[in-house]
Amino acid sequence: MFDAMPNDPVSQLKRNWLFSAGPPEEAEAVLRFSNIRRLESGQTLFWQDDPVGHVFVVLDGSLKLNRRDRQERRRIMRVAGAPDLVALHCLFSENGYSTTGVAMQNCDVLAINAERLLWHVKQKPELSWRIALHLSREVEDMVGEIEQLSMSSAMERLAAYLLRLHEEPERNNGERVPRRRADLASLLSVSTETLCREISKLRSRGWIDADREGFTVREPERLRDLIERKADG
């Protein structure tokens, strides 16, 4: 269900990287072909392979982006929190949405009409350039995630993930870090039992703290040494 715009929607939209560097008029133009959608926890926003009708800005709460493989197994590819932009790259693909978006908690998103956004971007070279830069960074992030998943042990994957949270604090908040251990395990491609065991090991060593709001890395060098030692071995 789509709801009315909240108070001061321009300020909310300008929290996102795509609009933060532009004038308010740019955000106002996009809002003319956008609507707010309110999701309940567990509700699906869009489905993998469906035609791209909208791209989304997360205003509050978080979305998990699942991808189904050939064996019909689903894995969490990413967790998006405010003010992330979701499914932007799908604007330039003929294959539909690359993931399924599901609310991890009650969530508000701005749904931007994809066709009209694409037309708008074509008229704005500076906006096109910002998108190109962002998509380039997303590719770099994906390379880092592939390297993380290529690590042989669950401990290495967890250590690499926690180091990224430590080095990029904007990732480490209650919206972007899965609250359910099963969701985090899916993100790291390990079993829930294995993940919980490895978190307990790191906590008992005093290297990390963990709670429902996220993780705090106490000994980043220990985690770095663990990964490098495994790589050298």
Side-chain angles (χ1 to χ4, degrees):
M1 179 177 178
F2 287 90
D3 297 327
M5 285 290 178
N7 294 329
D8 199 12
V10 172
S11 295
Q12 286 194 283
L13 190 55
K14 281 182 68 63
R15 292 171 60 203
N16 180 265
W17 61 268
L18 184 59
F19 306 102
S20 60
E25 294 79 14
E26 193 168 80
E28 290 171 357
V30 171
L31 287 170
R32 294 190 190 106
F33 47 87
S34 304
N35 288 282
I36 298 292
R37 186 168 186 185
R38 183 153 294 160
L39 305 172
E40 295 183 359
S41 178
Q43 186 175 352
T44 298
L45 179 61
F46 58 87
W47 294 91
Q48 181 179 334
D49 299 330
D50 276 358
V52 179
H54 297 83
V55 299
F56 305 93
V57 176
V58 181
L59 301 177
D60 182 64
S62 58
L63 295 171
K64 58 182 176 183
L65 306 179
N66 300 325
R67 183 165 175 83
R68 182 184 64 251
D69 63 20
R70 293 179 180 178
Q71 285 73 45
E72 297 298 316
R73 295 172 301 193
R74 289 194 174 275
R75 189 175 80 79
I76 297 177
M77 307 300 293
R78 178 189 168 204
V79 175
D84 289 344
L85 186 58
V86 176
L88 178 65
H89 65 284
C90 299
L91 274 179
F92 310 100
S93 171
E94 298 179 352
N95 298 320
Y97 290 113
S98 59
T99 57
T100 295
V102 180
M104 295 187 69
Q105 53 194 276
N106 292 347
C107 183
D108 290 338
V109 299
L110 182 72
I112 305 173
N113 183 278
E115 184 176 354
R116 294 189 65 180
L117 178 61
L118 190 57
W119 181 91
H120 184 74
V121 167
K122 289 177 180 178
Q123 316 307 311
K124 303 283 185 179
E126 184 179 345
L127 196 60
S128 301
W129 181 246
R130 292 205 296 270
I131 289 174
L133 288 175
H134 180 76
L135 293 181
S136 175
R137 294 190 193 103
E138 282 198 342
V139 170
E140 292 176 357
D141 280 350
M142 287 177 61
V143 170
E145 289 165 7
I146 290 170
E147 290 177 347
Q148 173 182 295
L149 292 176
S150 69
M151 296 176 178
S152 58
S153 75
M155 178 65 83
E156 291 172 69
R157 294 181 188 183
L158 176 60
Y161 175 78
L162 295 176
L163 275 176
R164 291 192 73 192
L165 295 184
H166 178 72
E167 293 166 356
E168 303 173 46
E170 68 276 6
R171 294 177 182 269
N172 190 11
N173 60 48
E175 294 179 336
R176 290 185 179 82
V177 178
R179 295 183 180 183
R180 295 177 64 245
R181 291 293 184 247
D183 288 337
L184 180 55
S186 176
L187 188 66
L188 298 179
S189 289
V190 299
S191 71
T192 305
E193 294 77 9
T194 298
L195 174 69
C196 292
R197 183 170 60 248
E198 302 303 337
I199 290 174
S200 294
K201 288 179 183 177
L202 295 180
R203 291 179 67 181
S204 66
R205 295 173 188 175
W207 296 2
I208 68 168
D209 288 334
D211 56 34
R212 287 181 57 83
E213 298 305 316
F215 294 91
T216 302
V217 175
R218 299 298 184 190
E219 300 284 350
E221 290 304 321
R222 296 281 193 176
L223 298 181
R224 204 168 282 116
D225 288 346
L226 184 153
I227 294 170
E228 292 175 356
R229 186 168 63 250
K230 291 285 187 179
D232 292 341

